Amino acid sequence: MIISAAVTETKGAQFSISALRLDDPRAGEILVRMVSSGVCHTDLIVRDQWYPVPLPAVLGHEGAGVVEAVGEGVAYVEPGDHVVLTFNSCGDCRTCALGRPAYCDQFFAHNFAGSRLDGSTPLHRESGDVHGMFFGQSSFATYAIATEANVVKVDPDVPLEILGPLGCGIQTGAGAVLNSLQPPAGSSIAIFGVGPVGLSAVMAGVAVGCSTVIAVDLSSGRLDLAKELGATNLIDGSAGDTVATIQALTGGLGVDYSIETTAVPAVFRQAVDALNQGGTCGLIGAAAIGTETLIDMSHLLFGRSVRGIVEGDSVPRTFIPHLIELYKQGSFPFDKLIKTYPFAEINAAVEDSEKGATLKAVLTF
């Protein structure tokens, strides 16, 4: 079938909407008519080739839509089902078997190769193939091929126009708190960088009953929204010593938990330095490959720990419906982060996201 897709032609280029031919779903694959797709930081750093996904390619990995057709052997969904598209995984390796699909042994092959595992792509044009299957979906398009492993069936009563970001950014921030760090009620947490991922972490920290939820950012608008969403303390990261301020807010001890979303080495250092003894820092921010930082080894020695977190340690088929249920109950209002743009305005959505004018841009089809 012929579809419209936003193609990333070369490193750093604007997205170009083009007509492409999309293959029918193979065995284990699913054809999805897209209703929305979030614009994620990862899409933009891949556009800029921080990660070496081959180009030209169709990116997009926060899709939501309706199942149109299924390939042989697919039993989980059927035509007409509402689905969110998330990251892909093999389902069979040691980490997938342990319920940790975000750390699949073949994560990069399934999500960043720009092709199926056999090297083929479902996207074509007269001049040749276009790389697809980005995160098992390539959802910057009117239709996408996904796999049974990376679709999540969702409640049809919740608008698909807002659900796409649950597939990556929002589940990453919320999952970092709910799945990875699991702070007990009454504990303290600081979130460094309150874009859509960080604000999702703020909401999750509030939902689990953290008594101190500190939001750190340079944007007064983002900090104001963090307060609206339940943050107890706000820190302008450009005004004074952030670590000293956090220590002052916590009786001189530091926080039990911190989350770093910015991928800025100096900010990561602050997120570690702000921990109390025994505290844990979760690193979410995706930096360019090879980015290094300095950590005070003596500071770390006293029971502090740092751990990387991918996709919020989520098992999407259970975690995404859980977030939707929290949303329906009013305790996880992630829709406050979202601004929608028609698909044709994808470059405006990207520009607004990069300028900070929009928190979470979502394309609608």
Side-chain angles (χ1 to χ4, degrees), residues 30-36 62-68 76-78 80-86 146-147 150-156 158 160 163-164 320 324:
I30 297 162
L31 175 66
V32 181
R33 174 178 59 82
M34 303 313 303
V35 173
S36 69
E62 293 183 340
V66 180
V67 175
E68 291 284 301
Y76 172 58
V77 294
E78 60 186 20
D81 283 343
H82 287 206
V83 292
V84 167
L85 309 186
T86 186
T147 74
N150 75 306
V151 300
V152 177
K153 189 159 47 176
V154 295
D155 184 347
V158 181
L160 285 166
L163 292 185
I320 288 175
I324 292 173

PDB file of all heavy atoms in Angstrom, residues 30-36 62-68 76-78 80-86 146-147 150-156 158 160 163-164 320 324:
ATOM      1  N   ILE A  30       2.148  -6.799  12.360  1.00  0.00           N
ATOM      2  CA  ILE A  30       0.838  -6.173  12.491  1.00  0.00           C
ATOM      3  C   ILE A  30       0.845  -4.858  11.723  1.00  0.00           C
ATOM      4  O   ILE A  30       1.777  -4.060  11.857  1.00  0.00           O
ATOM      5  CB  ILE A  30       0.518  -5.909  13.978  1.00  0.00           C
ATOM      6  CG1 ILE A  30       0.451  -7.246  14.743  1.00  0.00           C
ATOM      7  CG2 ILE A  30      -0.777  -5.136  14.141  1.00  0.00           C
ATOM      8  CD1 ILE A  30       0.576  -7.089  16.236  1.00  0.00           C
ATOM      9  N   LEU A  31      -0.182  -4.639  10.925  1.00  0.00           N
ATOM     10  CA  LEU A  31      -0.356  -3.360  10.225  1.00  0.00           C
ATOM     11  C   LEU A  31      -1.237  -2.463  11.084  1.00  0.00           C
ATOM     12  O   LEU A  31      -2.352  -2.852  11.464  1.00  0.00           O
ATOM     13  CB  LEU A  31      -1.005  -3.578   8.862  1.00  0.00           C
ATOM     14  CG  LEU A  31      -1.356  -2.308   8.077  1.00  0.00           C
ATOM     15  CD1 LEU A  31      -0.100  -1.546   7.667  1.00  0.00           C
ATOM     16  CD2 LEU A  31      -2.203  -2.655   6.848  1.00  0.00           C
ATOM     17  N   VAL A  32      -0.732  -1.262  11.391  1.00  0.00           N
ATOM     18  CA  VAL A  32      -1.438  -0.327  12.266  1.00  0.00           C
ATOM     19  C   VAL A  32      -1.689   0.974  11.521  1.00  0.00           C
ATOM     20  O   VAL A  32      -0.769   1.551  10.929  1.00  0.00           O
ATOM     21  CB  VAL A  32      -0.638  -0.043  13.553  1.00  0.00           C
ATOM     22  CG1 VAL A  32      -1.401   0.925  14.455  1.00  0.00           C
ATOM     23  CG2 VAL A  32      -0.343  -1.339  14.292  1.00  0.00           C
ATOM     24  N   ARG A  33      -2.944   1.420  11.533  1.00  0.00           N
ATOM     25  CA  ARG A  33      -3.264   2.761  11.033  1.00  0.00           C
ATOM     26  C   ARG A  33      -2.982   3.738  12.157  1.00  0.00           C
ATOM     27  O   ARG A  33      -3.580   3.673  13.223  1.00  0.00           O
ATOM     28  CB  ARG A  33      -4.729   2.843  10.612  1.00  0.00           C
ATOM     29  CG  ARG A  33      -5.170   4.257  10.215  1.00  0.00           C
ATOM     30  CD  ARG A  33      -6.610   4.302   9.747  1.00  0.00           C
ATOM     31  NE  ARG A  33      -7.551   3.837  10.748  1.00  0.00           N
ATOM     32  CZ  ARG A  33      -8.020   4.597  11.751  1.00  0.00           C
ATOM     33  NH1 ARG A  33      -7.600   5.856  11.893  1.00  0.00           N
ATOM     34  NH2 ARG A  33      -8.886   4.092  12.612  1.00  0.00           N
ATOM     35  N   MET A  34      -2.037   4.641  11.913  1.00  0.00           N
ATOM     36  CA  MET A  34      -1.615   5.541  12.977  1.00  0.00           C
ATOM     37  C   MET A  34      -2.664   6.626  13.230  1.00  0.00           C
ATOM     38  O   MET A  34      -3.224   7.198  12.290  1.00  0.00           O
ATOM     39  CB  MET A  34      -0.283   6.195  12.625  1.00  0.00           C
ATOM     40  CG  MET A  34       0.868   5.214  12.347  1.00  0.00           C
ATOM     41  SD  MET A  34       1.017   3.917  13.575  1.00  0.00           S
ATOM     42  CE  MET A  34       1.196   4.908  15.052  1.00  0.00           C
ATOM     43  N   VAL A  35      -2.892   6.893  14.498  1.00  0.00           N
ATOM     44  CA  VAL A  35      -3.745   8.002  14.922  1.00  0.00           C
ATOM     45  C   VAL A  35      -2.890   9.123  15.504  1.00  0.00           C
ATOM     46  O   VAL A  35      -3.171  10.302  15.300  1.00  0.00           O
ATOM     47  CB  VAL A  35      -4.804   7.526  15.938  1.00  0.00           C
ATOM     48  CG1 VAL A  35      -5.584   8.707  16.514  1.00  0.00           C
ATOM     49  CG2 VAL A  35      -5.757   6.535  15.284  1.00  0.00           C
ATOM     50  N   SER A  36      -1.816   8.739  16.206  1.00  0.00           N
ATOM     51  CA  SER A  36      -0.908   9.750  16.762  1.00  0.00           C
ATOM     52  C   SER A  36       0.475   9.148  16.927  1.00  0.00           C
ATOM     53  O   SER A  36       0.650   7.922  16.946  1.00  0.00           O
ATOM     54  CB  SER A  36      -1.420  10.262  18.114  1.00  0.00           C
ATOM     55  OG  SER A  36      -1.323   9.253  19.105  1.00  0.00           O
ATOM     56  N   GLU A  62       6.742   6.381  19.182  1.00  0.00           N
ATOM     57  CA  GLU A  62       5.708   6.539  20.205  1.00  0.00           C
ATOM     58  C   GLU A  62       4.342   6.549  19.536  1.00  0.00           C
ATOM     59  O   GLU A  62       3.553   7.467  19.686  1.00  0.00           O
ATOM     60  CB  GLU A  62       5.917   7.833  21.005  1.00  0.00           C
ATOM     61  CG  GLU A  62       7.170   7.840  21.862  1.00  0.00           C
ATOM     62  CD  GLU A  62       7.313   9.111  22.687  1.00  0.00           C
ATOM     63  OE1 GLU A  62       6.680  10.146  22.332  1.00  0.00           O
ATOM     64  OE2 GLU A  62       8.044   9.090  23.679  1.00  0.00           O
ATOM     65  N   GLY A  63       4.071   5.495  18.792  1.00  0.00           N
ATOM     66  CA  GLY A  63       2.862   5.461  17.988  1.00  0.00           C
ATOM     67  C   GLY A  63       1.644   4.939  18.739  1.00  0.00           C
ATOM     68  O   GLY A  63       1.753   4.155  19.678  1.00  0.00           O
ATOM     69  N   ALA A  64       0.481   5.383  18.306  1.00  0.00           N
ATOM     70  CA  ALA A  64      -0.790   4.849  18.795  1.00  0.00           C
ATOM     71  C   ALA A  64      -1.747   4.804  17.613  1.00  0.00           C
ATOM     72  O   ALA A  64      -1.778   5.722  16.793  1.00  0.00           O
ATOM     73  CB  ALA A  64      -1.361   5.723  19.906  1.00  0.00           C
ATOM     74  N   GLY A  65      -2.497   3.729  17.508  1.00  0.00           N
ATOM     75  CA  GLY A  65      -3.386   3.607  16.364  1.00  0.00           C
ATOM     76  C   GLY A  65      -4.316   2.420  16.472  1.00  0.00           C
ATOM     77  O   GLY A  65      -4.548   1.873  17.560  1.00  0.00           O
ATOM     78  N   VAL A  66      -4.831   2.027  15.314  1.00  0.00           N
ATOM     79  CA  VAL A  66      -5.831   0.961  15.225  1.00  0.00           C
ATOM     80  C   VAL A  66      -5.286  -0.150  14.345  1.00  0.00           C
ATOM     81  O   VAL A  66      -4.772   0.116  13.248  1.00  0.00           O
ATOM     82  CB  VAL A  66      -7.157   1.499  14.657  1.00  0.00           C
ATOM     83  CG1 VAL A  66      -8.196   0.383  14.563  1.00  0.00           C
ATOM     84  CG2 VAL A  66      -7.687   2.650  15.518  1.00  0.00           C
ATOM     85  N   VAL A  67      -5.403  -1.379  14.803  1.00  0.00           N
ATOM     86  CA  VAL A  67      -4.941  -2.531  14.023  1.00  0.00           C
ATOM     87  C   VAL A  67      -5.803  -2.668  12.768  1.00  0.00           C
ATOM     88  O   VAL A  67      -7.027  -2.703  12.844  1.00  0.00           O
ATOM     89  CB  VAL A  67      -5.002  -3.819  14.863  1.00  0.00           C
ATOM     90  CG1 VAL A  67      -4.647  -5.030  13.997  1.00  0.00           C
ATOM     91  CG2 VAL A  67      -4.070  -3.723  16.063  1.00  0.00           C
ATOM     92  N   GLU A  68      -5.134  -2.730  11.613  1.00  0.00           N
ATOM     93  CA  GLU A  68      -5.823  -2.901  10.337  1.00  0.00           C
ATOM     94  C   GLU A  68      -5.756  -4.342   9.844  1.00  0.00           C
ATOM     95  O   GLU A  68      -6.708  -4.844   9.242  1.00  0.00           O
ATOM     96  CB  GLU A  68      -5.202  -1.977   9.281  1.00  0.00           C
ATOM     97  CG  GLU A  68      -5.466  -0.503   9.502  1.00  0.00           C
ATOM     98  CD  GLU A  68      -6.892  -0.122   9.120  1.00  0.00           C
ATOM     99  OE1 GLU A  68      -7.280  -0.328   7.958  1.00  0.00           O
ATOM    100  OE2 GLU A  68      -7.614   0.376  10.014  1.00  0.00           O
ATOM    101  N   TYR A  76      -2.448 -12.045  19.680  1.00  0.00           N
ATOM    102  CA  TYR A  76      -2.677 -11.080  20.758  1.00  0.00           C
ATOM    103  C   TYR A  76      -3.670 -10.000  20.375  1.00  0.00           C
ATOM    104  O   TYR A  76      -4.462  -9.545  21.213  1.00  0.00           O
ATOM    105  CB  TYR A  76      -1.333 -10.472  21.163  1.00  0.00           C
ATOM    106  CG  TYR A  76      -1.408  -9.321  22.139  1.00  0.00           C
ATOM    107  CD1 TYR A  76      -2.006  -9.465  23.389  1.00  0.00           C
ATOM    108  CD2 TYR A  76      -0.860  -8.079  21.818  1.00  0.00           C
ATOM    109  CE1 TYR A  76      -2.066  -8.416  24.286  1.00  0.00           C
ATOM    110  CE2 TYR A  76      -0.916  -7.024  22.712  1.00  0.00           C
ATOM    111  CZ  TYR A  76      -1.524  -7.191  23.940  1.00  0.00           C
ATOM    112  OH  TYR A  76      -1.591  -6.147  24.827  1.00  0.00           O
ATOM    113  N   VAL A  77      -3.646  -9.546  19.124  1.00  0.00           N
ATOM    114  CA  VAL A  77      -4.556  -8.496  18.670  1.00  0.00           C
ATOM    115  C   VAL A  77      -5.257  -8.928  17.401  1.00  0.00           C
ATOM    116  O   VAL A  77      -4.835  -9.871  16.720  1.00  0.00           O
ATOM    117  CB  VAL A  77      -3.815  -7.161  18.418  1.00  0.00           C
ATOM    118  CG1 VAL A  77      -3.269  -6.587  19.711  1.00  0.00           C
ATOM    119  CG2 VAL A  77      -2.702  -7.335  17.391  1.00  0.00           C
ATOM    120  N   GLU A  78      -6.308  -8.193  17.067  1.00  0.00           N
ATOM    121  CA  GLU A  78      -7.045  -8.434  15.829  1.00  0.00           C
ATOM    122  C   GLU A  78      -7.475  -7.099  15.253  1.00  0.00           C
ATOM    123  O   GLU A  78      -7.422  -6.066  15.950  1.00  0.00           O
ATOM    124  CB  GLU A  78      -8.259  -9.317  16.102  1.00  0.00           C
ATOM    125  CG  GLU A  78      -9.247  -8.736  17.074  1.00  0.00           C
ATOM    126  CD  GLU A  78     -10.377  -9.691  17.434  1.00  0.00           C
ATOM    127  OE1 GLU A  78     -10.202 -10.914  17.246  1.00  0.00           O
ATOM    128  OE2 GLU A  78     -11.430  -9.210  17.904  1.00  0.00           O
ATOM    129  N   GLY A  80      -9.161  -3.786  14.365  1.00  0.00           N
ATOM    130  CA  GLY A  80     -10.078  -2.975  15.151  1.00  0.00           C
ATOM    131  C   GLY A  80      -9.580  -2.667  16.552  1.00  0.00           C
ATOM    132  O   GLY A  80     -10.069  -1.726  17.196  1.00  0.00           O
ATOM    133  N   ASP A  81      -8.614  -3.432  17.043  1.00  0.00           N
ATOM    134  CA  ASP A  81      -8.075  -3.167  18.381  1.00  0.00           C
ATOM    135  C   ASP A  81      -7.303  -1.850  18.411  1.00  0.00           C
ATOM    136  O   ASP A  81      -6.603  -1.499  17.457  1.00  0.00           O
ATOM    137  CB  ASP A  81      -7.133  -4.293  18.811  1.00  0.00           C
ATOM    138  CG  ASP A  81      -7.856  -5.551  19.252  1.00  0.00           C
ATOM    139  OD1 ASP A  81      -9.065  -5.469  19.538  1.00  0.00           O
ATOM    140  OD2 ASP A  81      -7.208  -6.611  19.307  1.00  0.00           O
ATOM    141  N   HIS A  82      -7.433  -1.138  19.521  1.00  0.00           N
ATOM    142  CA  HIS A  82      -6.632   0.074  19.751  1.00  0.00           C
ATOM    143  C   HIS A  82      -5.322  -0.341  20.414  1.00  0.00           C
ATOM    144  O   HIS A  82      -5.330  -1.130  21.372  1.00  0.00           O
ATOM    145  CB  HIS A  82      -7.379   1.050  20.648  1.00  0.00           C
ATOM    146  CG  HIS A  82      -8.521   1.737  19.974  1.00  0.00           C
ATOM    147  ND1 HIS A  82      -8.995   2.969  20.362  1.00  0.00           N
ATOM    148  CD2 HIS A  82      -9.283   1.363  18.910  1.00  0.00           C
ATOM    149  CE1 HIS A  82      -9.996   3.330  19.577  1.00  0.00           C
ATOM    150  NE2 HIS A  82     -10.197   2.364  18.692  1.00  0.00           N
ATOM    151  N   VAL A  83      -4.225   0.205  19.909  1.00  0.00           N
ATOM    152  CA  VAL A  83      -2.917  -0.219  20.403  1.00  0.00           C
ATOM    153  C   VAL A  83      -1.983   0.976  20.575  1.00  0.00           C
ATOM    154  O   VAL A  83      -2.103   1.984  19.874  1.00  0.00           O
ATOM    155  CB  VAL A  83      -2.240  -1.246  19.463  1.00  0.00           C
ATOM    156  CG1 VAL A  83      -2.994  -2.572  19.478  1.00  0.00           C
ATOM    157  CG2 VAL A  83      -2.119  -0.710  18.043  1.00  0.00           C
ATOM    158  N   VAL A  84      -1.058   0.831  21.515  1.00  0.00           N
ATOM    159  CA  VAL A  84       0.104   1.707  21.655  1.00  0.00           C
ATOM    160  C   VAL A  84       1.312   0.912  21.191  1.00  0.00           C
ATOM    161  O   VAL A  84       1.450  -0.272  21.519  1.00  0.00           O
ATOM    162  CB  VAL A  84       0.288   2.179  23.112  1.00  0.00           C
ATOM    163  CG1 VAL A  84       1.659   2.820  23.321  1.00  0.00           C
ATOM    164  CG2 VAL A  84      -0.810   3.165  23.494  1.00  0.00           C
ATOM    165  N   LEU A  85       2.191   1.553  20.416  1.00  0.00           N
ATOM    166  CA  LEU A  85       3.408   0.904  19.950  1.00  0.00           C
ATOM    167  C   LEU A  85       4.568   1.329  20.837  1.00  0.00           C
ATOM    168  O   LEU A  85       4.735   2.510  21.123  1.00  0.00           O
ATOM    169  CB  LEU A  85       3.696   1.278  18.488  1.00  0.00           C
ATOM    170  CG  LEU A  85       2.536   1.106  17.502  1.00  0.00           C
ATOM    171  CD1 LEU A  85       3.007   1.381  16.077  1.00  0.00           C
ATOM    172  CD2 LEU A  85       1.925  -0.278  17.605  1.00  0.00           C
ATOM    173  N   THR A  86       5.363   0.363  21.246  1.00  0.00           N
ATOM    174  CA  THR A  86       6.460   0.633  22.171  1.00  0.00           C
ATOM    175  C   THR A  86       7.744   0.031  21.623  1.00  0.00           C
ATOM    176  O   THR A  86       7.822  -0.326  20.437  1.00  0.00           O
ATOM    177  CB  THR A  86       6.105   0.092  23.577  1.00  0.00           C
ATOM    178  OG1 THR A  86       7.107   0.474  24.509  1.00  0.00           O
ATOM    179  CG2 THR A  86       5.950  -1.418  23.569  1.00  0.00           C
ATOM    180  N   ALA A 146       4.290  -3.106  12.739  1.00  0.00           N
ATOM    181  CA  ALA A 146       4.848  -3.396  14.054  1.00  0.00           C
ATOM    182  C   ALA A 146       4.910  -4.913  14.225  1.00  0.00           C
ATOM    183  O   ALA A 146       4.614  -5.661  13.291  1.00  0.00           O
ATOM    184  CB  ALA A 146       3.993  -2.764  15.145  1.00  0.00           C
ATOM    185  N   THR A 147       5.309  -5.350  15.390  1.00  0.00           N
ATOM    186  CA  THR A 147       5.382  -6.787  15.664  1.00  0.00           C
ATOM    187  C   THR A 147       4.504  -7.119  16.862  1.00  0.00           C
ATOM    188  O   THR A 147       4.141  -6.237  17.661  1.00  0.00           O
ATOM    189  CB  THR A 147       6.818  -7.239  15.969  1.00  0.00           C
ATOM    190  OG1 THR A 147       7.181  -6.798  17.287  1.00  0.00           O
ATOM    191  CG2 THR A 147       7.809  -6.656  14.963  1.00  0.00           C
ATOM    192  N   ASN A 150       5.787  -5.782  20.235  1.00  0.00           N
ATOM    193  CA  ASN A 150       5.858  -4.376  20.656  1.00  0.00           C
ATOM    194  C   ASN A 150       4.562  -3.607  20.468  1.00  0.00           C
ATOM    195  O   ASN A 150       4.565  -2.384  20.377  1.00  0.00           O
ATOM    196  CB  ASN A 150       7.029  -3.647  19.973  1.00  0.00           C
ATOM    197  CG  ASN A 150       6.774  -3.317  18.514  1.00  0.00           C
ATOM    198  OD1 ASN A 150       6.441  -4.201  17.731  1.00  0.00           O
ATOM    199  ND2 ASN A 150       6.934  -2.061  18.140  1.00  0.00           N
ATOM    200  N   VAL A 151       3.442  -4.314  20.434  1.00  0.00           N
ATOM    201  CA  VAL A 151       2.143  -3.639  20.484  1.00  0.00           C
ATOM    202  C   VAL A 151       1.483  -3.933  21.824  1.00  0.00           C
ATOM    203  O   VAL A 151       1.634  -5.015  22.385  1.00  0.00           O
ATOM    204  CB  VAL A 151       1.198  -4.042  19.323  1.00  0.00           C
ATOM    205  CG1 VAL A 151       1.815  -3.701  17.981  1.00  0.00           C
ATOM    206  CG2 VAL A 151       0.821  -5.502  19.410  1.00  0.00           C
ATOM    207  N   VAL A 152       0.776  -2.936  22.333  1.00  0.00           N
ATOM    208  CA  VAL A 152       0.078  -3.065  23.607  1.00  0.00           C
ATOM    209  C   VAL A 152      -1.383  -2.693  23.384  1.00  0.00           C
ATOM    210  O   VAL A 152      -1.691  -1.566  22.981  1.00  0.00           O
ATOM    211  CB  VAL A 152       0.695  -2.146  24.681  1.00  0.00           C
ATOM    212  CG1 VAL A 152      -0.089  -2.245  25.988  1.00  0.00           C
ATOM    213  CG2 VAL A 152       2.164  -2.483  24.903  1.00  0.00           C
ATOM    214  N   LYS A 153      -2.268  -3.625  23.626  1.00  0.00           N
ATOM    215  CA  LYS A 153      -3.701  -3.371  23.471  1.00  0.00           C
ATOM    216  C   LYS A 153      -4.166  -2.473  24.608  1.00  0.00           C
ATOM    217  O   LYS A 153      -3.831  -2.704  25.780  1.00  0.00           O
ATOM    218  CB  LYS A 153      -4.457  -4.700  23.469  1.00  0.00           C
ATOM    219  CG  LYS A 153      -5.910  -4.594  23.115  1.00  0.00           C
ATOM    220  CD  LYS A 153      -6.496  -5.933  22.630  1.00  0.00           C
ATOM    221  CE  LYS A 153      -6.125  -7.099  23.503  1.00  0.00           C
ATOM    222  NZ  LYS A 153      -6.798  -8.347  23.052  1.00  0.00           N
ATOM    223  N   VAL A 154      -4.951  -1.433  24.267  1.00  0.00           N
ATOM    224  CA  VAL A 154      -5.347  -0.450  25.277  1.00  0.00           C
ATOM    225  C   VAL A 154      -6.849  -0.226  25.254  1.00  0.00           C
ATOM    226  O   VAL A 154      -7.553  -0.593  24.312  1.00  0.00           O
ATOM    227  CB  VAL A 154      -4.605   0.900  25.053  1.00  0.00           C
ATOM    228  CG1 VAL A 154      -3.107   0.734  25.259  1.00  0.00           C
ATOM    229  CG2 VAL A 154      -4.899   1.479  23.677  1.00  0.00           C
ATOM    230  N   ASP A 155      -7.317   0.411  26.300  1.00  0.00           N
ATOM    231  CA  ASP A 155      -8.727   0.720  26.494  1.00  0.00           C
ATOM    232  C   ASP A 155      -9.223   1.619  25.354  1.00  0.00           C
ATOM    233  O   ASP A 155      -8.720   2.736  25.176  1.00  0.00           O
ATOM    234  CB  ASP A 155      -8.894   1.440  27.841  1.00  0.00           C
ATOM    235  CG  ASP A 155     -10.340   1.735  28.192  1.00  0.00           C
ATOM    236  OD1 ASP A 155     -11.220   1.627  27.324  1.00  0.00           O
ATOM    237  OD2 ASP A 155     -10.591   2.096  29.363  1.00  0.00           O
ATOM    238  N   PRO A 156     -10.213   1.181  24.586  1.00  0.00           N
ATOM    239  CA  PRO A 156     -10.680   2.010  23.460  1.00  0.00           C
ATOM    240  C   PRO A 156     -11.413   3.277  23.879  1.00  0.00           C
ATOM    241  O   PRO A 156     -11.684   4.139  23.046  1.00  0.00           O
ATOM    242  CB  PRO A 156     -11.613   1.056  22.694  1.00  0.00           C
ATOM    243  CG  PRO A 156     -12.060   0.061  23.715  1.00  0.00           C
ATOM    244  CD  PRO A 156     -10.908  -0.113  24.653  1.00  0.00           C
ATOM    245  N   VAL A 158     -10.184   5.537  25.891  1.00  0.00           N
ATOM    246  CA  VAL A 158      -9.216   6.621  26.103  1.00  0.00           C
ATOM    247  C   VAL A 158      -8.709   7.083  24.742  1.00  0.00           C
ATOM    248  O   VAL A 158      -8.329   6.258  23.907  1.00  0.00           O
ATOM    249  CB  VAL A 158      -8.048   6.145  26.985  1.00  0.00           C
ATOM    250  CG1 VAL A 158      -7.065   7.285  27.224  1.00  0.00           C
ATOM    251  CG2 VAL A 158      -8.565   5.610  28.313  1.00  0.00           C
ATOM    252  N   LEU A 160      -6.820   7.883  21.522  1.00  0.00           N
ATOM    253  CA  LEU A 160      -5.513   7.505  20.990  1.00  0.00           C
ATOM    254  C   LEU A 160      -4.634   8.720  20.720  1.00  0.00           C
ATOM    255  O   LEU A 160      -3.414   8.601  20.646  1.00  0.00           O
ATOM    256  CB  LEU A 160      -5.692   6.698  19.706  1.00  0.00           C
ATOM    257  CG  LEU A 160      -6.154   5.249  19.889  1.00  0.00           C
ATOM    258  CD1 LEU A 160      -6.613   4.666  18.557  1.00  0.00           C
ATOM    259  CD2 LEU A 160      -5.047   4.397  20.492  1.00  0.00           C
ATOM    260  N   LEU A 163      -2.215   8.907  23.648  1.00  0.00           N
ATOM    261  CA  LEU A 163      -1.597   7.709  24.218  1.00  0.00           C
ATOM    262  C   LEU A 163      -0.213   7.381  23.674  1.00  0.00           C
ATOM    263  O   LEU A 163       0.537   6.642  24.310  1.00  0.00           O
ATOM    264  CB  LEU A 163      -2.516   6.495  24.016  1.00  0.00           C
ATOM    265  CG  LEU A 163      -3.832   6.505  24.798  1.00  0.00           C
ATOM    266  CD1 LEU A 163      -4.568   5.185  24.596  1.00  0.00           C
ATOM    267  CD2 LEU A 163      -3.582   6.748  26.280  1.00  0.00           C
ATOM    268  N   GLY A 164       0.157   7.918  22.507  1.00  0.00           N
ATOM    269  CA  GLY A 164       1.431   7.556  21.899  1.00  0.00           C
ATOM    270  C   GLY A 164       2.639   7.696  22.821  1.00  0.00           C
ATOM    271  O   GLY A 164       3.461   6.781  22.912  1.00  0.00           O
ATOM    272  N   ILE A 320       1.921  -0.123  30.633  1.00  0.00           N
ATOM    273  CA  ILE A 320       1.178   0.937  29.932  1.00  0.00           C
ATOM    274  C   ILE A 320      -0.298   0.933  30.325  1.00  0.00           C
ATOM    275  O   ILE A 320      -0.862   1.997  30.640  1.00  0.00           O
ATOM    276  CB  ILE A 320       1.400   0.834  28.409  1.00  0.00           C
ATOM    277  CG1 ILE A 320       2.841   1.273  28.079  1.00  0.00           C
ATOM    278  CG2 ILE A 320       0.388   1.682  27.644  1.00  0.00           C
ATOM    279  CD1 ILE A 320       3.229   1.103  26.630  1.00  0.00           C
ATOM    280  N   ILE A 324      -2.431   4.022  32.180  1.00  0.00           N
ATOM    281  CA  ILE A 324      -3.729   4.493  31.677  1.00  0.00           C
ATOM    282  C   ILE A 324      -4.773   4.442  32.792  1.00  0.00           C
ATOM    283  O   ILE A 324      -5.597   5.362  32.939  1.00  0.00           O
ATOM    284  CB  ILE A 324      -4.169   3.661  30.459  1.00  0.00           C
ATOM    285  CG1 ILE A 324      -3.246   3.946  29.274  1.00  0.00           C
ATOM    286  CG2 ILE A 324      -5.621   3.961  30.088  1.00  0.00           C
ATOM    287  CD1 ILE A 324      -3.482   3.059  28.073  1.00  0.00           C
TER     288      ILE A 324
END
